[in-house]
Amino acid sequence: DGGITQSPKYLFRKEGQNVTLSCEQNLNHDAMYWYRQDPGQGLRLIYYSQIVNDFQKGDIAEGYSVSREKKESFPLTVTSAQKNPTAFYLCASSPGDRTSYEQYFGPGTRLTVT
Amino acid sequence: SQKIEQNSEALNIQEGKTATLTCNYTNYSPAYLQWYRQDPGRGPVFLLLIRENEKEKRKERLKVTFDTTLKQSLFHITASQPADSATYLCASLYGGYQKVTFGIGTKLQVIP
């Protein structure tokens, strides 16, 4: 069963703690992305990676970090420096071969920081 | 900067009618536009992609148009069903087609 998995579905943390969100894909896609979605706003790009061991900042990278050590995995760390971390986080992947541009999304992780 | 605008107000239509959603873009000319469906609490699902040189694209009951003069894409669902109720997102590619910018989405409610 191919696809993207994100875990956990719900995550609760205390303010000041770092937290890592998991994203795994078995679609053999080169490109992976992290977005956050807030009520009344569109998806905003946090980080993206076109290839293993390389990643780029998106539009709202401050307070976040990522790694891409394996093609299948693109974990996102929400650090204590992120001022408003409570949000719905979505991971996506795309073939990245410039013949197909659709993004395949995971089910999302809803993070609540109090 | 690139901007994608969708009517944030919900659209309510009667079952069986055609739903039409609008996506406008400003400050740039995207080569591609995409449409996604998102159900509450879930990730978006890709529906259609249309290129700037394509006026129209169809997939089953879905139709997308791309008008570069009006800077607008229209998304139609014909013979709408209650199961079509969801939020529909318009998106465009930028950054050498490596990144996607999304509109806020329009919530569609199909009333039986």
Side-chain angles (χ1 to χ4, degrees):
Chain A
D1 191 21
I4 299 184
T5 57
Q6 291 184 244
S7 60
K9 189 168 178 63
Y10 298 96
L11 191 54
F12 298 88
R13 280 293 182 270
K14 294 289 186 186
E15 199 173 305
Q17 293 178 334
N18 291 354
V19 59
T20 297
L21 281 59
S22 167
C23 177
E24 304 278 331
Q25 55 101 357
N26 61 3
L27 300 168
N28 199 34
H29 286 170
D30 286 317
M32 295 188 75
Y33 306 80
W34 273 106
Y35 297 89
R36 70 176 276 168
Q37 189 173 35
D38 297 280
Q41 298 199 43
L43 277 70
R44 291 184 290 166
L45 181 65
I46 304 172
Y47 267 99
Y48 66 104
S49 167
Q50 296 292 316
I51 197 168
V52 174
N53 292 322
D54 186 49
F55 48 82
Q56 308 294 328
K57 290 182 179 180
D59 302 316
I60 55 164
E62 186 176 346
Y64 299 98
S65 65
V66 293
S67 63
R68 185 87 187 273
E69 296 176 2
K70 298 187 299 182
K71 188 175 186 177
E72 303 79 23
S73 179
F74 191 41
L76 172 76
T77 296
V78 184
T79 75
S80 56
Q82 168 49 234
K83 289 182 173 34
N84 297 298
T86 295
F88 187 46
Y89 289 88
L90 287 159
C91 179
S93 72
S94 179
D97 59 7
R98 293 180 178 265
T99 61
S100 177
Y101 295 111
E102 59 259 39
Q103 301 210 336
Y104 295 75
F105 283 84
T109 292
R110 190 166 296 279
L111 173 65
T112 302
V113 177
T114 56
Chain B
S1 61
Q2 313 89 330
K3 195 171 181 183
I4 288 256
E5 293 175 340
Q6 293 184 260
N7 187 353
S8 60
E9 291 182 18
L11 177 64
N12 296 322
I13 64 164
Q14 210 67 37
E15 183 177 3
K17 301 291 187 185
T18 296
T20 298
L21 285 66
T22 304
C23 172
N24 297 297
Y25 55 91
T26 56
N27 300 329
Y28 72 120
S29 298
Y32 302 88
L33 284 172
Q34 300 177 326
W35 284 88
Y36 290 79
R37 168 187 172 136
Q38 186 175 25
D39 290 285
R42 293 176 170 266
V45 174
F46 173 80
L47 296 174
L48 283 166
L49 175 147
I50 186 166
R51 294 171 171 78
E52 62 178 339
N53 61 354
E54 295 175 319
K55 298 296 183 192
E56 179 181 300
K57 200 147 188 190
R58 293 175 185 262
K59 179 182 175 183
E60 297 173 352
R61 294 185 295 111
L62 309 180
K63 184 178 85 171
V64 173
T65 62
F66 195 167
D67 189 326
T68 55
T69 302
L70 294 178
K71 292 184 177 288
Q72 183 180 81
S73 175
L74 298 179
F75 176 81
H76 306 271
I77 305 176
T78 58
S80 59
Q81 305 165 0
D84 295 326
S85 299
T87 295
Y88 291 86
L89 309 175
C90 175
S92 74
L93 294 153
Y94 70 108
Y97 310 145
Q98 293 183 4
K99 297 187 281 187
V100 178
T101 187
F102 286 86
I104 194 172
T106 298
K107 185 175 180 180
L108 172 67
Q109 186 78 27
V110 180
I111 302 163

